[in-house]
Amino acid sequence: MEHKEPTNNPIKKGKTLLLFDIDGTLTASRKTIKQNMIDCLQKASSYEDIDIATVGGSDLPKAQEQLQSSIDLLKFVFTENGLVYLDDKKELHKVDKLINYLGYDKYKEFINFCLKYIADLDIPIKAGTFVELRTGLVNVSPIGRNCSQEERDAFVVFNKEHKVLEKFRETLIKNFAEKYKLEISIGGQISFDVYPVGWDKRYCLQFLEKLYDNIIFFGDKGYFGGNDYEIMTDPRITRGVRVQNPENTIECINKIIEEIHSIK
């Protein structure tokens, strides 16, 4: 498969949406947003020609927990890649469910495979909640989502050496990607997301593409195999901005605002 670079088109005069990943982009992974980021988003949203929104794989309660008061600044809050979203922070929409797409038998086959694979893994910690079914995806974590912050940090170091997530992902791709038309992408420090083809973060674009002259997406996992890659390389995106961490995101937001308002 050909690996594409992030979309990089000129910004046009008109209405712009700044669309953000959350983990690793607006916040440190699974942490709450910091005041300097809230201040930056407040500045961006103060311009009449700029709206801001988020899109992530987590469910709505997790997004609300991380975004705190900054959620009031957002025009849209897309969770579970857009299958569940808040429109103007008020109206809740739910589009479809993964379990309806797969059917129970296929879902059970997939989950059984994951749990057997995890049972055979020799890793330092297994904390529980290895598989989490959400509306539009399954989140799979070999260490388990119940791990403490210290256990999470230790797993990150362990995974850098042993590539646990990467090997697990490749195994699932081999066994299920083509068979059930699934995408499997690394979405955070300890887990990856599994969803039907097209149900990645691009899913939210169908609700946005006719509303804005520019859509600029910011994400930290824009590499091939990361869960920002598909949306960052989508032609409906004006520009995909690959960031390193929240501090870098603030720098990129300020540069984009300057560029938007330099257009004659």
Side-chain angles (χ1 to χ4, degrees), residues 250-263:
I250 290 173
E251 295 173 6
C252 293
I253 292 171
N254 288 328
K255 288 179 181 177
I256 289 293
I257 289 174
E258 287 181 13
E259 185 174 349
I260 289 171
H261 294 134
S262 69
I263 301 169

Side-chain angles (χ1 to χ4, degrees), residues 230-250:
E230 288 83 5
I231 190 170
M232 194 168 283
T233 57
D234 191 284
R236 290 171 291 179
I237 290 289
T238 306
R239 188 170 301 173
V241 182
R242 190 180 296 170
V243 300
Q244 304 301 316
N245 50 51
E247 295 299 324
N248 182 224
T249 301
I250 290 173

Side-chain angles (χ1 to χ4, degrees), residues 22-264:
I22 299 176
D23 268 3
T25 302
L26 293 182
T27 75
S29 186
R30 288 300 303 133
K31 298 290 184 66
T32 56
I33 193 167
K34 291 185 176 180
Q35 187 60 48
N36 62 341
M37 181 63 77
I38 295 175
D39 293 342
C40 183
L41 295 179
Q42 175 75 62
K43 174 186 173 182
S45 65
S46 68
Y47 295 102
E48 290 186 1
D49 55 350
I50 296 176
D51 285 339
I52 60 176
T54 58
V55 57
S58 294
D59 59 24
L60 185 56
K62 288 189 180 72
Q64 290 170 322
E65 176 189 345
Q66 288 183 263
L67 293 170
Q68 299 285 305
S69 64
S70 71
I71 203 165
D72 294 330
L73 302 171
L74 304 174
K75 180 72 173 176
F76 299 97
V77 182
F78 292 102
T79 60
E80 306 194 41
N81 292 343
L83 279 90
V84 179
Y85 68 98
L86 288 176
D87 181 354
D88 241 351
K89 292 92 60 184
K90 302 183 200 66
E91 188 174 359
L92 180 67
H93 305 263
K94 292 187 178 182
V95 182
D96 205 348
K97 292 184 177 181
L98 173 73
I99 195 74
N100 295 338
Y101 172 87
L102 277 180
Y104 183 74
D105 289 342
K106 292 177 182 178
Y107 173 73
K108 183 174 69 172
E109 177 192 355
F110 176 80
I111 296 305
N112 286 345
F113 185 97
C114 289
L115 293 177
K116 288 175 183 176
Y117 186 98
I118 292 169
D120 291 335
L121 279 177
D122 183 14
I123 58 177
I125 295 291
K126 293 182 183 178
T129 309
F130 304 106
V131 175
E132 185 177 82
L133 175 62
R134 300 173 186 167
T135 300
L137 58 86
V138 178
N139 181 265
V140 181
S141 174
I143 182 178
R145 300 199 65 86
N146 290 353
C147 64
S148 66
Q149 186 62 49
E150 293 75 16
E151 291 166 342
R152 173 188 285 265
D153 294 341
F155 178 80
V156 171
V157 174
F158 185 85
N159 188 64
K160 283 182 179 178
E161 179 180 355
H162 298 280
K163 307 295 182 187
V164 177
L165 286 176
E166 292 78 2
K167 291 175 183 176
F168 196 173
R169 174 179 176 268
E170 289 302 319
T171 300
L172 290 179
I173 288 173
K174 180 180 177 181
N175 285 275
F176 292 99
E178 181 61 31
K179 183 179 180 182
Y180 292 146
K181 302 296 185 246
L182 296 174
E183 293 183 7
I184 299 129
S185 62
I186 295 174
Q189 293 179 310
I190 62 168
S191 65
F192 49 83
D193 295 330
V194 183
Y195 41 79
V197 171
W199 286 24
D200 51 60
K201 290 179 182 176
R202 291 175 295 180
Y203 196 92
C204 74
L205 295 180
Q206 63 189 292
F207 309 112
L208 301 172
E209 57 184 319
K210 295 181 180 179
L211 300 178
Y212 294 95
D213 301 290
N214 307 290
I215 301 176
I216 301 172
F217 175 78
F218 301 76
D220 67 313
K221 290 184 171 58
Y223 52 82
F224 183 76
N227 70 348
D228 296 326
Y229 174 78
E230 288 83 5
I231 190 170
M232 194 168 283
T233 57
D234 191 284
R236 290 171 291 179
I237 290 289
T238 306
R239 188 170 301 173
V241 182
R242 190 180 296 170
V243 300
Q244 304 301 316
N245 50 51
E247 295 299 324
N248 182 224
T249 301
I250 290 173
E251 295 173 6
C252 293
I253 292 171
N254 288 328
K255 288 179 181 177
I256 289 293
I257 289 174
E258 287 181 13
E259 185 174 349
I260 289 171
H261 294 134
S262 69
I263 301 169
K264 303 297 185 183

